[in-house]
Amino acid sequence: MIVNIIVATSSNNAIGKNNQLLWHMPNDLKHFKEKTTGHTIIMGRKTFDSVGKPLPRRRNIVITRQHITIEGCEVVHSLAGALDLCIEEDEVFIVGGAEIYRQALDITDRIYLTIIHEFFEGDTFFPELDNLEWKESTRDDRQPDEKHAFPYSFITLERR
């Protein structure tokens, strides 16, 4: 099974504040949808709460310490538990938040990284990546336009 992380960060690795995204970038949302549709997505409960509902045409697994049920989602208590449910799958996507990214980084094969080339004040950050562990395999740099206030890049990183 290939374990992917998909994440959008600012230049200073911020990914959120008050459990919300820091920007509105329609092309990043489209990119996320294109990459994850038809696959399993794994997220923490806070990330699920910020999304507000199971994402369509994807298997949604939520990790939480709470003993709860979430309609349309499978609920587990650990990343290992989530991955155990996916043993037959070709690939899965870790979609947040910061703690789940941190836990998954050592077992991740590929990172779909969107960098918003701007500094944002956040309270949640993506972990620093070790350039000795990751190599860039694709990069698509984009300039601001009428729907995107900041320059951004879609980057695919593969584990070395």
Side-chain angles (χ1 to χ4, degrees), residues 1-4 89-93 107-110 158:
M1 169 180 30
I2 296 171
V3 177
N4 301 295
E89 306 212 14
D90 292 334
E91 64 180 323
V92 298
F93 286 82
I107 59 164
T108 296
D109 301 292
R110 183 182 303 124
E158 306 280 346

Side-chain angles (χ1 to χ4, degrees), residues 4 24 33 41 49 58 70 95 120 123 146-147 160:
N4 301 295
H24 178 69
K33 184 177 181 181
I41 57 174
D49 288 348
R58 283 156 273 212
I70 301 171
V95 302
F120 286 87
D123 59 16
E146 63 280 352
K147 292 183 178 178
R160 292 187 190 270

Side-chain angles (χ1 to χ4, degrees), residues 8 15-25 28-29 50 120:
I15 59 174
K17 185 173 182 180
N18 299 323
N19 209 31
Q20 297 297 315
L21 292 175
L22 300 169
W23 47 75
H24 178 69
M25 303 289 282
D28 181 55
L29 297 174
S50 74
F120 286 87

Side-chain angles (χ1 to χ4, degrees), residues 10-48:
S10 65
S11 294
N12 57 320
N13 278 5
I15 59 174
K17 185 173 182 180
N18 299 323
N19 209 31
Q20 297 297 315
L21 292 175
L22 300 169
W23 47 75
H24 178 69
M25 303 289 282
N27 283 348
D28 181 55
L29 297 174
K30 181 180 172 190
H31 175 74
F32 178 91
K33 184 177 181 181
E34 287 171 357
K35 294 293 182 195
T36 62
T37 295
H39 297 286
T40 295
I41 57 174
I42 298 170
M43 69 193 94
R45 186 204 38 89
K46 289 179 191 173
T47 297
F48 176 79

